[in-house]
Amino acid sequence: MLALSGAGIIACSAGQRAQTETTLARTLISDEQGNQIGAQVHEDLAAKGVKYVNDATVTQYVEGIASRIFALAAKDRPGVDFKVHLIADPNTVNAFATPGGHIYVYSGLLLTADNEAELAGVMAHESGHIAGRHVERAMVNAYGFQALAAAALGQNPSMAQQLAASIAGTGLLRAHSRSEETEADEYGARYISKLDYDPRAMITFFEKLEKSEAGQPRALAWLSTHPLTPDRIDHLRSYIRNNKLHGTNLGEQRHREIKQRLGS
């Protein structure tokens, strides 16, 4: 893993570091390059044997929720073609985002969510990671300025494949930082509130994973890359209250029907 030489990033404060990473990510990783990396990641995942849910009713349900979220996220991150993929793995509670606007959701997460609003909250959170360029910032942090500059200048054409292989191998390059999780939570709460989902559903889902962590190790998949720091839920609760975010829809009945179909 290369150091961020020349960027002066190591000596910066956390806020300055995030700003520097974002600037570098925007400069060094174009939307076109991100799309290419995302497409390569998708191919690599297929080569690793990742299977997707092929029930049209279930996938249309997930895509229908996602498309409304993506319409909002695209305003914050134009130039990205958002897509959602439902991985057929009922034993894993996880979701992650990759370059090019790809969001992957495991069927185990859909089964764990009690309602549509909780599922929407997770997808909105992951959309927030893309809108905030957190995925690209992870690549800057992992590979460094020099490597990405060489790729941007065409001096290392294999770098895109290397990046894609790294992401496909680990799901994410690293666990997101506290500031990134906070920002993604805020994006997510805003997005689902605008769609009339109750934004507090994000909190109920996080609390559920936190409580089940000891008894259900499968929940650790999402928590390992989206750690619930002591003040994270408190901040989200305050953010929802202070910004007067609200929504009335939970979507319990429809979600229950989809879970029954998926689990059958």
Side-chain angles (χ1 to χ4, degrees):
M1 202 174 283
L2 298 176
L4 294 173
S5 57
I9 208 167
I10 295 177
C12 292
S13 68
Q16 290 172 323
R17 176 176 180 141
Q19 184 177 5
T20 302
E21 286 181 355
T22 301
T23 300
L24 286 172
R26 183 182 293 109
T27 302
L28 298 175
I29 306 170
S30 67
D31 289 336
E32 182 180 0
Q33 288 172 315
N35 291 337
Q36 291 173 350
I37 294 171
Q40 184 63 51
V41 170
H42 194 66
E43 291 182 12
D44 289 353
L45 289 172
K48 290 180 177 295
V50 171
K51 304 297 182 183
Y52 299 94
V53 173
N54 58 14
D55 185 312
T57 299
V58 176
T59 56
Q60 287 172 8
Y61 169 71
V62 173
E63 289 169 355
I65 300 170
S67 65
R68 298 167 65 211
I69 295 169
F70 294 164
L72 297 173
K75 296 178 182 178
D76 292 319
R77 183 72 192 281
V80 172
D81 183 14
F82 287 85
K83 309 172 190 68
V84 65
H85 311 279
L86 185 60
I87 296 176
D89 183 350
N91 295 316
T92 300
V93 180
N94 202 8
F96 61 90
T98 69
H102 294 264
I103 291 177
Y104 294 83
V105 180
Y106 287 74
S107 58
L109 190 145
L110 190 154
L111 290 168
T112 299
D114 285 332
N115 51 59
E116 188 173 310
E118 290 186 349
L119 175 61
V122 172
M123 290 195 289
H125 173 98
E126 296 299 334
S127 298
H129 280 310
I130 295 173
R133 295 183 184 269
H134 300 163
V135 181
E136 288 84 354
R137 279 164 52 178
M139 290 192 284
V140 170
N141 186 68
Y143 284 89
F145 172 79
Q146 291 179 335
L148 291 174
L153 294 172
Q155 297 170 353
N156 186 358
S158 67
M159 179 55 67
Q161 286 76 20
Q162 294 177 35
L163 291 168
S166 177
I167 296 171
T170 62
L172 284 172
L173 289 168
R174 61 172 170 81
H176 290 291
S177 68
R178 178 178 296 191
S179 64
E180 289 170 348
E181 291 301 345
T182 297
E183 188 177 12
D185 285 344
E186 292 174 355
Y187 273 117
R190 292 198 305 272
Y191 290 161
I192 66 173
S193 177
K194 288 181 179 179
L195 299 176
D196 196 37
Y197 289 116
D198 186 344
R200 294 172 298 179
M202 293 180 65
I203 296 172
T204 62
F205 187 75
F206 294 167
E207 290 177 332
K208 181 188 308 161
L209 292 190
E210 190 174 38
K211 291 177 182 177
S212 67
E213 180 177 344
Q216 299 181 31
R218 67 179 190 166
L220 289 173
W222 196 84
L223 292 179
S224 65
T225 51
H226 300 75
L228 291 175
T229 54
D231 60 346
R232 183 176 166 194
I233 291 176
D234 289 339
H235 173 80
L236 183 55
R237 187 177 288 112
S238 297
Y239 182 82
I240 291 171
R241 181 180 63 252
N242 294 338
N243 289 275
K244 297 180 172 57
L245 301 181
H246 56 81
T248 60
N249 182 27
L250 287 177
E252 293 173 302
Q253 180 58 38
R254 178 60 173 158
H255 190 75
R256 188 178 303 115
E257 294 170 357
I258 292 297
K259 287 175 63 172
Q260 291 173 349
R261 186 180 183 93
L262 186 60
S264 61

